[in-house]
Amino acid sequence: MAKAPVKLQNIRYYPYAEYTRVVLDLSSNLKISEKVIKGSTGGRLFFDLKNCRFAAAYPLEKRNEIKIKTGNLKQIRIGKLNQKTIRVVFDFDQIGKYTRFYLTSPFRIVFDIYFQDKFVSHAQESQTQLQTAATAEGNPSIARQLGLGVHRIVIDPGHGGKDPGTVNRFLGLEEKNITLDIAKRLNAILNEHAELEIILTRARDEYVALEERAAIANSNQGDIFISIHTNSAPRKTARGIEAYYLNITADPRAMEVAAQENAMSSKSMADMRTIQDQILQNSKIAESKILAQYIQDSMVGNLRTKFTGIEDLGVKKAPFYVLLGAQMPSALLEVSFLSCNDEANRLATPAYRQAIAAGLYLGIINFIQSLGK
């Protein structure tokens, strides 16, 4: 039986000063092989979506071309190569470095296209660079070696809008509301430091796509990126605080948490080949691990001065999509288990949320001080 055609549902783009992120929304899994042609006045990157059709809801204004306002990506052209194939063409002023990776549930193809003078194709990225990045976890970062400080902090309240995150129906609590409240409390404390600039990826109950959050941090040239979440587990007695940084893991529990936050199945999470390059090329792995540890220690320590039964679940690594592509030290914090009624009851109170925000604040300040600033 013939395989049902894949539907191209939308093409979205997020233009920023240093790079443009392009996202293709598809109805199901579809792998591509792109080609690059360098011209005297620019260049093209193109690929074919085989056994693919336009979805009925695909925007009519994007059927032929999409004009890009900023960066070196001038436009995206879309057309039918034949009845079963859609060709997508990126037209550049000058082609620079780009990366491509896949996301699932729903399936997406993501391009990060950087502005730079030197022509570098995706295929030319060296294996040596990947191997060097893979060992970077144990090495101090350039920022730490040079004593560079932190001035701009990007806070990401997890979930939002149509994505409620974890829901405790018994107590009527939604993760999206708790994370936003904690983020606002953290923002208020950090704003007492005039030298710091604080940016929230969302300031109200609105949906922000996972792939857009790191792009917001990058476009604002953030120095650190903090994503706030509440945890969930099938075992209702599971409780505690844990922190994560972006890296590949074989830990089943870490994969389970990442799958939950990535809104995808554990089976899909096991196949990380499509985004492995993106993770291994993250030069901030070592610094992200340090950031996560400072925040974890401070959160647990501060909560234990005010509350009993605070479990320290430690710092772990996992492939969180919300951190993917962040160009600064970044960490994801699971501040308590909303699936545990004891901790959920605490999360419902302003005092507990304020204590979490204070712990996050202390961790951030300790990290900044560790840089010598």
Side-chain angles (χ1 to χ4, degrees):
M1 187 172 65
K3 184 179 179 181
V6 176
K7 300 296 180 64
L8 176 60
Q9 297 170 330
N10 199 3
I11 297 179
R12 297 175 284 131
Y13 70 94
Y14 305 98
Y16 301 112
E18 294 184 356
Y19 78 110
T20 300
R21 173 163 284 191
V22 181
V23 183
L24 281 74
D25 296 309
L26 297 158
S27 63
S28 59
N29 190 324
L30 191 155
K31 301 299 175 68
I32 64 169
S33 179
E34 66 269 28
K35 298 179 181 179
V36 174
I37 298 177
K38 183 183 177 183
S40 58
T41 59
R44 300 196 308 276
L45 178 156
F46 67 94
F47 52 90
D48 294 333
L49 304 175
K50 297 179 179 179
N51 192 31
C52 186
R53 313 282 192 277
F54 288 106
Y58 183 88
L60 290 175
E61 67 273 15
K62 298 180 180 179
R63 278 280 181 145
N64 298 313
E65 65 179 18
I66 303 170
K67 296 291 186 181
I68 310 294
K69 302 295 183 182
T70 61
N72 69 327
L73 179 59
K74 294 192 297 185
Q75 66 179 357
I76 302 172
R77 290 181 287 130
I78 309 100
K80 285 187 175 181
L81 188 63
N82 53 53
Q83 289 299 314
K84 295 183 178 181
T85 305
I86 295 174
R87 172 160 289 183
V88 181
V89 181
F90 293 172
D91 289 324
F92 293 82
D93 287 325
Q94 191 164 14
I95 297 179
K97 175 184 175 182
Y98 73 91
T99 61
R100 181 259 298 151
F101 57 95
Y102 301 98
L103 302 179
T104 58
S105 296
F107 190 83
R108 289 151 287 167
I109 305 174
V110 182
F111 285 88
D112 283 344
I113 301 160
Y114 297 87
F115 183 84
Q116 62 185 49
D117 294 333
K118 184 180 178 182
F119 170 75
V120 183
S121 77
H122 181 76
Q124 289 172 320
E125 293 168 359
S126 70
Q127 186 65 29
T128 302
Q129 181 184 15
L130 293 179
Q131 292 170 346
T132 301
T135 62
E137 190 171 326
N139 299 328
S141 72
I142 293 175
R144 186 166 295 276
Q145 293 176 52
L146 297 180
L148 302 179
V150 171
H151 304 288
R152 189 172 291 122
I153 299 169
V154 181
I155 304 170
D156 174 47
H159 307 277
K162 65 182 181 180
D163 174 17
T166 298
V167 177
N168 187 311
R169 302 190 186 282
F170 180 74
L171 296 174
L173 297 173
E174 294 182 331
E175 180 178 2
K176 66 175 183 177
N177 298 324
I178 295 170
T179 58
L180 180 59
D181 183 71
I182 293 171
K184 287 181 175 180
R185 292 174 185 273
L186 175 58
N187 180 40
I189 304 172
L190 287 168
N191 273 324
E192 294 177 6
H193 294 266
E195 72 277 14
L196 296 178
E197 180 183 351
I198 315 304
I199 296 164
L200 270 65
T201 58
R202 65 179 183 98
R204 58 184 184 275
D205 183 17
E206 64 177 332
Y207 176 76
V208 181
L210 286 177
E211 59 267 24
E212 188 178 357
R213 294 175 189 246
I216 291 171
N218 292 338
S219 67
N220 285 282
Q221 298 182 320
D223 294 309
I224 58 175
F225 178 51
I226 308 296
S227 189
I228 304 171
H229 295 258
T230 64
N231 220 330
S232 178
R235 183 169 56 89
K236 300 303 180 185
T237 56
R239 59 191 301 142
I241 316 294
E242 59 187 354
Y244 287 90
Y245 61 99
L246 181 69
N247 207 341
I248 295 170
T249 183
D251 180 353
R253 170 57 188 161
M255 292 179 69
E256 179 185 336
V257 175
Q260 178 179 297
E261 299 297 354
N262 293 340
M264 62 186 294
S265 71
S266 296
K267 182 177 180 181
S268 297
M269 279 298 302
D271 182 13
M272 293 303 301
R273 287 292 182 184
T274 56
I275 62 170
Q276 186 176 21
D277 286 3
Q278 184 81 357
I279 292 174
L280 293 182
Q281 289 180 74
N282 181 358
S283 62
K284 304 299 188 296
I285 290 176
E287 210 62 45
S288 295
K289 183 179 181 181
I290 296 170
L291 172 65
Q293 190 68 64
Y294 271 113
I295 295 178
Q296 174 73 9
D297 292 345
S298 296
M299 267 205 307
V300 170
N302 189 62
L303 287 170
R304 281 178 174 172
T305 65
K306 302 172 178 65
F307 301 90
T308 60
I310 302 298
E311 297 286 340
D312 184 354
L313 301 180
V315 173
K316 303 166 186 175
K317 57 186 178 182
F320 287 95
Y321 286 165
V322 70
L323 304 180
L324 197 63
Q327 297 170 0
M328 69 289 297
S330 54
L332 183 144
L333 292 311
E334 298 282 1
V335 298
S336 285
F337 280 77
L338 193 55
S339 57
C340 171
N341 282 338
D342 285 346
E343 291 198 342
N345 276 309
R346 285 179 172 177
L347 285 166
T349 66
Y352 191 68
R353 297 182 191 185
Q354 187 67 27
I356 290 172
L360 289 165
Y361 162 77
L362 291 171
I364 291 169
I365 294 301
N366 289 339
F367 173 78
I368 293 172
Q369 291 176 344
S370 78
L371 294 171
K373 298 292 180 180

